[in-house]
Amino acid sequence: MHKENLTIKETFTLAFQNHKKNNFKIAENLYKEILKIKSNHFESVFYLGALLVQTKNFDKAKQLLQKAIQINPHFAAAYNNLGIAFIELGEDKKAMSHFQKAIQIKPDFENAHYNIGVAFDKLNEFQKAVGCYEKAIQINPNYVNAYNNLGNALKELGEYKKAMSCYEKAIKIQPNHVTAYNNLGVAFKEL
C-alpha cells in the first residue's frame, strides 16, 4: 500500500511539473494513469480538469471539475475553472454562479472576480463588469488583463479617458501587451 501511494505521489509530481511547463499531453497521460489506480485522487481530478480547460476541451473539463467539487466542495479554484468551462460552453449564468461560489469560499480570489467581469461583459452589463475588474485590481494591483478589460468595459460605457488610463497602466506593467496597445489606439481614435 505504501509503495502504491509513493508511486501515485511521484507520478503526480511528474504530471504537475509537466503541466507547469505546458507539456500538456505528457501531464494529461500521467494524471489519467493515476486516476486508473485511484479514481478519486483529488489533485489529479482537479488538475486534469484545469488542463482540459487550458487545452479547450471544455466538455470533459466540466465533468472532471464537477467531480473535483464533489470530492472537495471547499476548493475555490475548482469552481473558478468550472466557471471558465461554462463560459466557453456559452452557459454564462451557470459560469457566474460558480465564480460567485469561488469568491464565497475565497473572497480575495482575484481570478474569480476577473472572470465574473468577463461574464458580465458577455452579457453587455459593462457597469457590473467594471466593479469586478476594479475588485480584481484592488486585490492584485499588477493584474494586467484586469486593467485591459476594465479599459474595454469603460470604453463601452463611453468613458474613453478612463479607458485609456487603464490601457496605459496595463502597458506600464507589461510593456509588450499588444492588445492593450491596440485598445489604447482604438480608444484614442474614438476620443
Side-chain angles (χ1 to χ4, degrees), residues 123-191:
L123 297 168
N124 295 323
E125 296 186 35
F126 302 112
Q127 196 61 57
K128 289 180 181 176
V130 165
C132 296
Y133 296 134
E134 287 175 338
K135 181 66 177 173
I137 291 165
Q138 179 187 341
I139 297 165
N140 176 1
N142 292 316
Y143 201 149
V144 174
N145 290 336
Y147 279 110
N148 186 64
N149 282 22
L150 175 57
N152 291 342
L154 289 167
K155 189 175 67 181
E156 290 292 335
L157 294 168
E159 298 184 39
Y160 299 108
K161 285 187 178 178
K162 285 182 182 177
M164 290 169 67
S165 172
C166 292
Y167 300 136
E168 288 165 352
K169 285 177 185 166
I171 292 164
K172 185 176 181 185
I173 296 165
Q174 188 179 333
N176 61 347
H177 198 290
V178 177
T179 309
Y181 275 107
N182 182 60
N183 290 335
L184 179 59
V186 171
F188 191 73
K189 185 179 171 191
E190 294 285 330
L191 189 64

Side-chain angles (χ1 to χ4, degrees), residues 46-64:
F46 168 71
Y47 283 107
L48 180 55
L51 183 151
L52 292 171
V53 167
Q54 287 176 282
T55 57
K56 302 188 181 325
N57 191 340
F58 301 113
D59 280 318
K60 283 186 182 174
K62 183 174 83 169
Q63 293 170 356
L64 280 161

Side-chain angles (χ1 to χ4, degrees), residues 66-132:
Q66 287 170 328
K67 181 177 179 178
I69 288 168
Q70 287 174 344
I71 297 168
N72 181 356
H74 305 291
F75 193 65
Y79 290 96
N80 186 59
N81 278 282
L82 183 54
I84 293 168
F86 277 124
I87 271 194
E88 295 297 334
L89 293 167
E91 299 181 55
D92 300 329
K93 298 266 190 233
K94 280 186 182 176
M96 192 88 69
S97 71
H98 285 84
F99 297 138
Q100 288 166 338
K101 182 68 177 174
I103 290 168
Q104 184 183 338
I105 294 167
K106 186 179 176 196
D108 64 344
F109 195 173
E110 74 257 20
N111 290 343
H113 287 283
Y114 170 84
N115 287 327
I116 288 180
V118 171
F120 278 130
D121 274 343
K122 289 187 77 172
L123 297 168
N124 295 323
E125 296 186 35
F126 302 112
Q127 196 61 57
K128 289 180 181 176
V130 165
C132 296

